[in-house]
Amino acid sequence: MTSDSPRPPPRRRFFGGFGRRELQGLFWQVLVVGIVLGVVAFLWSNTVTNLSARRITTGFAFLGREAGMPIADSLLSYNPRDTYLWAFVVGIANTLRVAVIGIVLATILGTLIGISRLSANWLLSRLAAVYVETLRDIPLLLQLLFWYVLMQALPAARAAWRPVEGVFLSNRGLILPAIPVGSPQLWVLGTAVLGLAVFYLIRRWLIAQQMRDGKPRPAWPFAVGLIVALPAAMSVALGVSWKIEWPELRGFNFVGGLTLAPEYFALLIALVTYTSAFIAEIVRSGIQSVPRGQWDAANALGLRRSFMLRQIILPQALRVIVPPMTSQYLNLTKNASLAVAIGYQDVVSVANTTLNQTGQAIEAIALIMAVFLTISLCISFFMNWYNSRIALVER
């Protein structure tokens, strides 16, 4: 025998099928958005009124005027007669020059130190621990000033240190041999990058075919053809010269080669060493998150420790490593703005000079915010995409 329980009364529906709760939630959302827009409108109106009262012009028309500021160390060609807009582009390129190279070097160094912390060698693990704890506990600005002062204390160009042939270290910076890169060289390098991308797609297709029928298919012929033979053919067709340019001392300075200015070199070292200390801890925790059974199974098979780390442990640890690693990449990029403390002219330094020359404070600060926001969003988007690719999928 069953008893019928009373049914709850049907929920009343209003406009568009929304219930009372939905309407209340929509009301509060509209109210909050309206308040935010009202506050923004009030602040904007108040700012425009005060600027007009003080006869301060607004807008970005100043970007088309001649900058007149010198930029000593620039990745792109620049002349003081160029516009403020091009000066900002040069500053952005200098910021990216630090951020991209710094991220790569900090990742490599931090990964090696993180693995060293778990080494069975007592001395190596202790040295890695001292490195991490020392650099994490000293403010980055102090480390940056330390490296800059150390660069200034190096000998003059005539007495420069020469650790290896063709490499000089002095108070003028680090001078390295280089290959002059022009338009023909860029075409060859672009061909190599395109060939690498095509090879990646072909390799994935070959792996999919092998998973389907079990027949292994060699990928090295495609690698040789796309990454080696194709750029070589392009180089021969364009008559590209790959002659190395060696630096040499003439007078009181060096001529030829690639010069890393003291400001850039000090900034790069400080950012890489400081960030690598945090990355090392992230890598260490990621490796330790892998179950001990994975190590035991690999040891039972007689695999080498380097092979275990590269093929078994690190691929599983990436799901723990990648999310906090994204934060460190963002921190390194934003910390590059400390370059203004030692005179390296990145986008912040260029914006500060522009602000002092034109008085366009709001526009200059807005440009800085937009640049760092764009770079940070690009890094986050790429790292989130990569994290989704390596995520473990439950079956």
Side-chain angles (χ1 to χ4, degrees):
M1 180 177 180
T2 60
S3 59
D4 296 334
S5 58
R7 296 181 178 179
R11 298 176 60 184
R12 298 183 61 184
R13 297 287 176 177
F14 299 97
F15 303 102
F18 287 103
R20 178 175 297 176
R21 291 184 178 179
E22 287 82 357
L23 285 177
Q24 290 178 350
L26 182 62
F27 169 77
W28 288 110
Q29 293 178 46
V30 172
L31 181 62
V32 170
V33 172
I35 293 175
V36 171
L37 292 178
V39 171
V40 171
F42 169 76
L43 293 176
W44 176 259
S45 176
N46 188 51
T47 302
V48 172
T49 301
N50 290 332
L51 291 175
S52 300
R54 290 167 174 79
R55 297 181 180 179
I56 299 177
T57 59
T58 58
F60 293 92
F62 71 96
L63 292 175
R65 302 206 304 261
E66 180 179 316
M69 72 173 78
I71 298 180
D73 184 18
S74 60
L75 184 63
L76 304 176
S77 60
Y78 173 80
N79 189 286
R81 292 190 296 271
D82 292 330
T83 62
Y84 282 110
L85 178 60
W86 183 246
F88 268 99
V89 172
V90 172
I92 294 171
N94 284 350
T95 298
L96 292 175
R97 180 188 179 195
V98 174
V100 174
I101 298 177
I103 285 174
V104 174
L105 296 180
T107 302
I108 297 173
L109 181 60
T111 301
L112 294 176
I113 294 174
I115 295 174
S116 299
R117 288 212 62 184
L118 300 175
S119 174
N121 188 310
W122 183 87
L123 179 60
L124 181 61
S125 63
R126 291 300 93 195
L127 289 176
V130 170
Y131 176 92
V132 170
E133 295 302 329
T134 301
L135 293 180
R136 287 198 310 171
D137 296 338
I138 300 177
L140 176 58
L141 181 58
L142 292 181
Q143 296 187 38
L144 176 59
L145 295 176
F146 166 79
W147 287 110
Y148 181 65
V149 171
L150 191 64
M151 290 294 299
Q152 296 300 316
L154 290 175
R158 287 183 174 273
W161 294 346
R162 186 183 297 181
V164 295
E165 185 64 29
V167 177
F168 300 90
L169 183 62
S170 68
N171 57 9
R172 299 296 179 93
L174 179 65
I175 297 88
L176 304 169
I179 298 176
V181 177
S183 180
Q185 286 84 355
L186 291 178
W187 276 104
V188 176
L189 293 177
T191 304
V193 172
L194 179 62
L196 185 63
V198 174
F199 171 71
Y200 172 76
L201 297 176
I202 293 176
R203 185 173 178 273
R204 291 194 59 185
W205 179 79
L206 292 176
I207 294 175
Q209 293 296 319
Q210 181 178 351
M211 296 295 293
R212 185 176 297 110
D213 55 22
K215 297 179 181 179
R217 294 171 174 83
W220 66 266
F222 297 97
V224 172
L226 292 172
I227 304 176
V228 179
L230 185 61
M234 178 68 73
S235 179
V236 172
L238 297 178
V240 179
S241 174
W242 297 99
K243 183 179 179 181
I244 298 178
E245 186 178 78
W246 296 89
E248 58 178 332
L249 181 63
R250 292 183 183 176
F252 296 97
N253 205 349
F254 292 95
V255 177
L258 174 65
T259 301
L260 303 181
E263 296 80 8
Y264 172 78
F265 194 44
L267 177 64
L268 187 63
I269 293 177
L271 289 176
V272 169
T273 53
Y274 180 77
T275 309
S276 64
F278 292 90
I279 292 178
E281 287 296 278
I282 294 172
V283 172
R284 180 182 65 85
S285 62
I287 293 175
Q288 289 181 329
S289 69
V290 178
R292 184 64 192 177
Q294 299 290 322
W295 292 91
D296 296 336
N299 286 323
L301 294 173
L303 301 177
R304 297 190 308 272
R305 184 176 178 85
S306 59
F307 183 85
M308 283 190 293
L309 281 172
R310 188 174 64 254
Q311 300 293 340
I312 299 174
I313 304 302
L314 284 178
Q316 298 183 68
L318 283 177
R319 72 184 192 276
V320 178
I321 292 175
V322 170
M325 191 81 82
T326 304
S327 299
Q328 293 305 317
Y329 291 167
L330 296 175
N331 289 337
L332 187 148
T333 303
K334 291 179 288 188
N335 288 335
S337 61
L338 292 175
V340 69
I342 59 173
Y344 178 70
Q345 291 175 290
D346 67 335
V347 66
V348 176
S349 177
V350 172
N352 285 339
T353 305
T354 302
L355 186 154
N356 294 328
Q357 291 181 352
T358 63
Q360 309 286 145
I362 296 177
E363 292 82 356
I365 295 175
L367 287 173
I368 298 175
M369 295 173 62
V371 167
F372 280 101
L373 178 62
T374 303
I375 297 175
S376 299
L377 289 177
C378 292
I379 294 175
S380 298
F381 176 80
F382 174 78
M383 294 301 292
N384 289 334
W385 169 82
Y386 180 71
N387 189 38
S388 64
R389 290 295 303 272
I390 65 172
L392 296 178
V393 181
E394 297 289 342
R395 292 188 177 181

